[in-house]
Amino acid sequence: MSFLPHPTQLPISSPHAASNFLSKMRNPTITLVSALNFIVFLVFDFLDTFLCVVCGYIDELFEGQASSCYCTDKEEQQARRNGDGEEGEELSLSETLYERKNVFRKMGFLGFAKKWRKSKNENPGKVKNLKNRWSDCGCQSCVSWTNDAAQKLHFVIGEPETSSQALTDEDCRGKPPENVIFLHGFLCSSSFWTETVFPNLSEHGKRNYRLFAVDLLGFGRSPKPRDCFYTLKDHLEMIEKSVICPFQLNSFHLVAHSMGCLIAIALAAKHPELVKSVTLVAPPYFPSKDGDSLRVLEKIAARKLWPPFVFGMSLMSWYEHLGRCVCFLVCRHHRTWETIAKLLTRRRDLHFMTVDFTRHTHHSAWHTMHNVICGGAKLMEGYLQVLSKAGVKVCVVHGDRDKVVPMECSNNIQMAAPDAEVNIVKNTNHNSVIFGRKRDFTRHVEHIWESNSGRRMYDKCS
């Protein structure tokens, strides 16, 4: 929220600073934007506080019990979770879940709602055992994961070719194929990789690599459990349970985009003896040595009206209940929106990014945003140091026109891991760094795999 500083807060001892402030105050455009910014987010503060009460009533009506939220302070939340035997999970939750500023919440506007919830907890009604919340989509594609008793991630495998053409003199020793795990970014799915890298592998890559493109927990066709906080630990355990352990991967390369980069770094740091290389595309890494995750949130989703992307991120990241309402309108009714989009574009099949954008729940996206992107930032420096000591090759690819994740993030990685290789691709943004150059990007990652394979792929057989 942008507040104009009080005159008493001006550095009077600095005439230059005071002069700059006064000059800005004289600029009507800056003053108007600041005032509009203040008013809009003040209204959002009120709406989110109001919707906290409304959602509580509706949850009680449809589910038999009001769902807990993060509008209460951390101590109250911790006491509630301790009562449910979840105190261990509390340690891994991001501070941004509790410390998001809200004027009306601080003024105690939720006092009466707390009393109502307390009285309801003393005389609880029957809690309905629902597979999904009333605000989540219940179509077959969105709840298909509930039929999986093992609760494993959905993933796509690109098996190496086994035709006679694969038996060349370069591969006559019968070396087993190498494994590559792909992790997508926020609000995406495995399609991000199966539609870009998989079709563009070289002939050598097709017969020497086995590819695993994963739908991360809470996204795509993977499980979206309500009782999960979607921490880094949760994501890592599901990747291990779904891919690494079942396929007995004793070595693998990692390729990740955006938010997936943080999960890839954590996974590599947990298994440095198994990882041959880590390729990070547009990694959103903001150092947080002092554990101030709120500063990371302000960097990623500053409360600003412009540009539109930042405004949308701020709305969905700072306001839990407003975000839930947006997901109710967009995600729960994604089939309707997809039908409208097909009619408008006159296309039978929509772009996979359009479809993936709605394949999550508010609960999964909200917690992943805060617990992985914001809360995970304070762990990244330690993880990168582990990789440096283990000699794991880290390669970073970043577009010089990326407005979603600034290039400073890649510089931050190189500062934490001096041996990391950073490649800046000109005239590309957050997505076009891959989409606009699919073949070139695929050749680049193949070169990284070959250079860090631990075996000479092009040695002639003796």
Side-chain angles (χ1 to χ4, degrees):
M1 185 176 296
S2 298
F3 290 98
L4 294 177
H6 191 274
T8 58
Q9 296 177 332
L10 284 174
I12 303 299
S13 59
S14 174
H16 179 69
S19 176
N20 285 342
F21 173 76
L22 292 175
S23 64
K24 290 181 180 180
M25 288 296 292
R26 295 190 188 101
N27 189 325
T29 303
I30 294 177
T31 303
L32 178 61
V33 170
S34 298
L36 185 61
N37 197 79
F38 171 78
I39 293 172
V40 169
F41 285 99
L42 184 66
V43 171
F44 284 172
D45 282 357
F46 173 77
L47 286 176
D48 200 61
T49 304
F50 173 74
L51 288 172
C52 175
V53 181
V54 173
C55 289
Y57 274 101
I58 300 178
D59 286 342
E60 172 73 19
L61 177 64
F62 286 102
E63 301 175 7
Q65 181 177 318
S67 301
S68 61
C69 63
Y70 296 95
C71 294
T72 53
D73 55 37
K74 188 172 184 177
E75 289 72 20
E76 184 174 339
Q77 282 281 341
Q78 185 168 0
R80 181 184 303 174
R81 297 191 193 284
N82 288 349
D84 295 333
E86 301 174 352
E87 63 274 10
E89 192 70 41
E90 188 67 31
L91 299 175
S92 58
L93 298 185
S94 172
E95 295 84 355
T96 57
L97 289 167
Y98 308 97
E99 297 178 4
R100 293 167 294 110
K101 299 176 183 178
N102 186 303
V103 174
F104 297 95
R105 192 160 62 237
K106 284 190 173 184
M107 294 171 63
F109 275 47
L110 289 175
F112 72 95
K114 292 180 183 179
K115 295 180 180 179
W116 170 75
R117 287 181 178 176
K118 184 177 180 181
S119 65
K120 297 301 290 184
N121 289 334
E122 292 174 353
N123 300 286
K126 183 179 180 180
V127 179
K128 300 176 182 178
N129 185 19
L130 301 176
K131 292 182 178 180
N132 60 305
R133 308 177 76 172
W134 61 268
S135 55
D136 298 334
C137 182
C139 72
Q140 183 57 38
S141 62
C142 290
V143 299
S144 59
W145 61 270
T146 58
N147 299 322
D148 178 15
Q151 294 291 285
K152 292 184 178 180
L153 299 178
H154 173 266
F155 56 88
V156 178
I157 302 180
E159 292 285 0
E161 293 181 352
T162 56
S163 63
S164 58
Q165 294 180 353
L167 300 176
T168 64
D169 61 343
E170 295 176 345
D171 228 3
C172 62
R173 292 181 180 177
K175 296 288 186 179
E178 296 196 27
N179 304 297
V180 186
I181 299 177
F182 292 84
L183 305 178
H184 61 78
F186 195 58
L187 305 186
C188 290
S189 77
S190 54
S191 298
F192 187 91
W193 300 110
T194 59
E195 297 290 332
T196 55
V197 173
F198 281 38
N200 288 287
L201 283 174
S202 65
E203 291 302 316
H204 176 80
K206 289 178 181 178
R207 63 178 180 261
N208 285 283
Y209 296 100
R210 180 168 57 166
L211 313 181
F212 297 85
V214 177
D215 280 5
L216 290 172
L217 182 65
F219 300 93
R221 295 172 63 184
S222 283
K224 305 169 184 65
R226 292 179 55 179
D227 58 351
C228 178
F229 292 103
Y230 298 87
T231 62
L232 272 173
K233 179 182 176 182
D234 294 325
H235 285 282
L236 299 191
E237 289 179 347
M238 284 298 287
I239 295 172
E240 293 168 338
K241 175 183 175 181
S242 306
V243 178
I244 297 177
C245 293
F247 291 90
Q248 299 180 347
L249 304 187
N250 54 16
S251 67
F252 53 87
H253 301 269
L254 283 168
V255 181
H257 176 252
S258 195
M259 178 202 73
C261 295
L262 303 181
I263 299 175
I265 293 172
L267 183 63
K270 187 175 181 179
H271 302 285
E273 74 285 356
L274 303 182
V275 178
K276 293 186 174 182
S277 71
V278 182
T279 303
L280 309 173
V281 185
Y285 170 48
F286 297 93
S288 181
K289 292 183 179 180
D290 54 357
D292 184 10
S293 300
L294 193 62
R295 186 180 67 85
V296 178
L297 179 61
E298 291 171 345
K299 278 270 190 179
I300 296 174
R303 301 215 287 187
K304 297 179 179 179
L305 298 178
W306 193 264
F309 175 81
V310 174
F311 173 69
M313 283 290 292
S314 64
L315 173 64
M316 299 301 293
S317 302
W318 286 85
Y319 299 103
E320 182 176 2
H321 301 286
L322 274 173
R324 186 179 175 187
C325 290
V326 172
C327 285
F328 171 74
L329 294 174
V330 177
C331 299
R332 192 180 194 280
H333 302 92
H334 67 88
R335 290 170 296 177
T336 300
W337 294 115
E338 289 169 7
T339 300
I340 294 174
K342 290 177 181 179
L343 291 175
L344 293 176
T345 59
R346 296 182 180 180
R347 294 181 58 181
R348 184 175 181 179
D349 297 318
L350 297 175
H351 191 273
F352 68 88
M353 290 286 285
T354 303
V355 177
D356 289 345
F357 186 74
T358 61
R359 298 303 170 90
H360 64 274
T361 64
H362 176 257
H363 184 81
S364 66
W366 171 263
H367 284 89
T368 299
M369 171 67 186
H370 286 276
N371 290 332
V372 174
I373 299 179
C374 298
K378 58 188 176 185
L379 305 173
M380 289 300 115
E381 183 175 11
Y383 291 157
L384 288 168
Q385 290 175 354
V386 170
L387 298 183
S388 294
K389 291 179 181 179
V392 177
K393 183 62 176 179
V394 177
C395 300
V396 181
V397 180
H398 213 134
D400 65 344
R401 295 185 178 181
D402 195 331
K403 302 300 182 182
V404 179
V405 176
M407 283 199 301
E408 70 174 273
C409 292
S410 292
N411 297 330
N412 293 336
I413 287 183
Q414 196 166 44
M415 291 179 65
D419 294 332
E421 175 186 313
V422 177
N423 298 277
I424 305 301
V425 184
K426 294 183 178 180
N427 302 320
T428 59
N429 58 32
H430 194 64
N431 289 327
S432 66
V433 69
I434 296 177
F435 291 167
R437 45 192 297 276
K438 298 176 185 178
R439 186 176 296 275
D440 290 341
F441 175 80
T442 304
R443 294 295 175 272
H444 180 64
V445 292
E446 284 188 68
H447 174 72
I448 294 173
W449 303 338
E450 293 168 10
S451 301
N452 299 277
S453 64
R455 64 185 177 93
R456 296 177 60 82
M457 294 183 179
Y458 292 101
D459 280 353
K460 297 294 182 180
C461 298
S462 56

